[in-house]
C-alpha cells in the first residue's frame, strides 16, 4: 500500500473513531431467558446524529468491514416534529459484530476508550469458551464497571 492510500485508510478509521467518541455509545442489551432463569447480555454499539449522510457513510464503511449495521430514523419531538430535525441511528448488536468494531475502531477512540476496553474484556472472556455458561464473577464485575460509566444496563 502506498503512503497516500495508507493515509486515507488511517483518516477513515480516525474519523469514525472520533465520530463515535462524540456521537456514539456502548451498552449491553439484556434479555431475560425464562428457561435458564437468567439475563443474557448482548453488546451494542450505536451512533446517533442528525446528519444522515455522515451516518450512511459510516454504516456503509462498517458493513464492508465485517460490522453489519442497522439504520433507523426517529423524530426527536413527538408533539411538534417540524420543530426538530429527524435523528438517525446506526446500530450493531452481537458479540461478533461488536468485536469486529472494537478491533477496527477501538484504538482510534479516546473518550470512550474505558468503555471499549471493558467491552473488549467482556467479549474476549465470553468467546474463550464461556459463551454458553452462566455469567461468572469476572463478567458481572465488568458489567458493573460498564454500568458505573453511566450506561443503562440492568444487572
Amino acid at each position: 500500500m502506498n503512503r497516500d492510500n495508507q493515509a486515507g485508510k488511517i483518516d477513515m478509521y480516525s474519523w469514525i473513531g472520533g465520530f463515535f467518541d462524540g456521537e456514539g455509545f456502548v451498552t449491553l442489551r439484556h434479555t431475560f431467558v425464562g428457561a435458564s432463569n437468567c439475563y443474557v447480555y448482548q453488546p451494542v454499539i450505536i451512533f446517533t446524529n442528525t446528519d444522515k449522510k455522515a451516518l450512511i457513510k459510516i454504516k456503509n464503511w462498517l458493513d464492508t468491514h465485517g460490522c453489519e449495521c442497522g439504520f433507523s430514523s426517529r423524530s426527536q419531538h413527538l408533539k411538534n416534529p417540524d420543530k426538530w430535525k429527524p435523528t438517525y441511528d446506526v446500530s450493531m448488536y452481537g458479540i461478533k459484530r461488536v468485536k469486529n468494531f472494537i478491533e477496527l475502531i477501538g484504538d482510534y477512540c479516546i473518550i470512550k476508550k474505558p468503555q471499549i476496553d471493558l467491552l473488549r474484556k467482556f467479549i474476549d472472556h465470553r468467546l474463550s469458551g464461556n459463551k454458553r455458561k452462566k455469567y461468572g464473577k469476572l463478567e458481572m464485575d465488568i458489567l458493573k464497571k460498564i454500568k458505573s460509566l453511566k450506561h443503562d444496563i440492568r444487572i
Side-chain angles (χ1 to χ4, degrees), residues 65-96:
H65 287 80
C67 306
E68 293 154 15
C69 306
F71 185 85
S72 60
S73 66
R74 57 193 155 84
S75 174
Q76 288 186 321
H77 198 280
L78 298 176
K79 291 181 181 176
N80 191 356
D82 295 335
K83 186 176 179 180
W84 301 92
K85 292 180 184 178
T87 300
Y88 302 95
D89 297 323
V90 170
S91 55
M92 73 189 77
Y93 297 84
I95 283 182
K96 290 179 183 174

Side-chain angles (χ1 to χ4, degrees), residues 14-24 47-49 51 54-55 58 112:
S14 298
W15 179 70
I16 291 174
F19 201 101
F20 180 72
D21 266 345
E23 305 293 336
F47 292 79
T48 298
N49 199 279
D51 187 340
L55 287 179
I58 289 169
K112 298 222 170 39

Side-chain angles (χ1 to χ4, degrees), residues 17 20-21 26 102 105-120 149:
F20 180 72
D21 266 345
V26 174
I102 290 171
I105 304 299
D107 291 337
Y108 296 91
C109 296
I110 297 168
I111 304 301
K112 298 222 170 39
K113 187 80 169 141
Q115 295 95 320
I116 291 289
D117 289 344
L118 286 168
L119 195 56
R120 181 186 323 224
L149 295 171

Side-chain angles (χ1 to χ4, degrees), residues 31-79:
T31 306
F32 186 75
V33 179
S36 302
N37 197 30
C38 67
Y39 282 98
V40 174
Y41 297 92
Q42 182 180 44
V44 180
I45 298 286
I46 299 178
F47 292 79
T48 298
N49 199 279
T50 58
D51 187 340
K52 185 177 182 178
K53 278 184 172 180
L55 287 179
I56 288 174
K57 184 173 184 166
I58 289 169
K59 180 198 178 331
N60 290 340
W61 190 89
L62 290 171
D63 282 347
T64 61
H65 287 80
C67 306
E68 293 154 15
C69 306
F71 185 85
S72 60
S73 66
R74 57 193 155 84
S75 174
Q76 288 186 321
H77 198 280
L78 298 176
K79 291 181 181 176

Side-chain angles (χ1 to χ4, degrees), residues 138-149:
L138 173 69
E139 292 161 325
M140 294 310 291
D141 288 346
I142 293 169
L143 291 172
K144 287 176 185 171
K145 286 177 187 173
I146 292 173
K147 184 177 182 177
S148 75
L149 295 171

